[in-house]
Amino acid sequence: MRTAVLRHVAGFEIEECAAPRPGDGGVLVEMWAVGTCGSDVAAFRGRHPLRAPPVVLGHQGAGRVVEAGTDTALPAGARVAVLPLVSCRRCGRLEQGPSHLCAHRRSSGAGLPGILSRYVVVPQRALVPLADGLAYGPVDLFDRAAGRTFATADPTDHPREPGT
């Protein structure tokens, strides 16, 4: 399969590698649409603390289930969106609110394989079924719209603390 690997700052290479196989709780997804957000741009520029080359970027997108591992319920052919974060489901922070507060959260490209590949294994709990009439392309736009400013702006142009 083909995978886009950020090999060095500002340098992608398209590589051929073996398709991954789903294990317990994992689902093999053929990616049909992958978005690029501010954290991907920061990694490309060498400015992301968790995503450093070599790394496969991408954590927002949609695709079709190819194969499900054990302990999964999504059938082959199901259309799915990939959630950008996966919580540990064990830390006390989840009681405080959404999964992004988890101290041990993982994201594609930071703790989980990036999805800028033809095929990727994703934990089933990070997949949301899509309605049949919804096109793949717009699915990744929702999260990117919220982060658009970060993707287009140079972070060194902005103050780091309010009032500075």
Side-chain angles (χ1 to χ4, degrees):
M1 75 169 183
R2 294 174 61 173
T3 300
V5 180
L6 182 66
R7 282 283 163 206
H8 52 82
V9 173
F12 276 103
E13 292 181 16
I14 304 300
E15 299 181 3
E16 290 288 335
C17 59
R21 301 288 304 185
D24 292 346
V27 176
L28 181 64
V29 177
E30 180 180 18
M31 298 308 302
W32 285 52
V34 177
T36 302
C37 86
S39 61
D40 296 318
V41 174
F44 181 78
R45 293 177 175 169
R47 298 178 180 163
H48 195 284
L50 301 177
R51 294 181 177 104
V55 64
V56 177
L57 298 176
H59 56 272
Q60 302 158 0
R64 187 176 297 273
V65 172
V66 174
E67 178 184 354
T70 57
D71 298 325
T72 58
L74 288 169
R79 296 161 33 84
V80 293
V82 179
L83 296 175
L85 295 173
V86 178
S87 71
C88 72
R89 293 185 164 178
R90 292 186 305 268
C91 74
R93 288 189 175 180
L94 290 181
E95 296 170 4
Q96 299 172 15
S99 61
H100 73 280
L101 297 176
C102 174
H104 308 287
R105 68 188 177 273
R106 298 177 297 153
S107 174
S108 301
L112 294 172
I115 64 173
L116 203 52
S117 297
R118 175 78 185 261
Y119 298 99
V120 64
V121 172
V122 179
Q124 178 177 308
R125 62 191 169 131
L127 297 173
V128 177
L130 295 177
D132 287 335
L134 185 61
Y136 288 109
V139 170
D140 68 273
L141 293 177
F142 300 111
D143 190 58
R144 286 193 297 139
R148 185 174 158 272
T149 300
F150 299 106
T152 58
D154 182 342
T156 60
D157 290 343
H158 301 283
R160 300 207 182 269
E161 297 179 24
T164 61

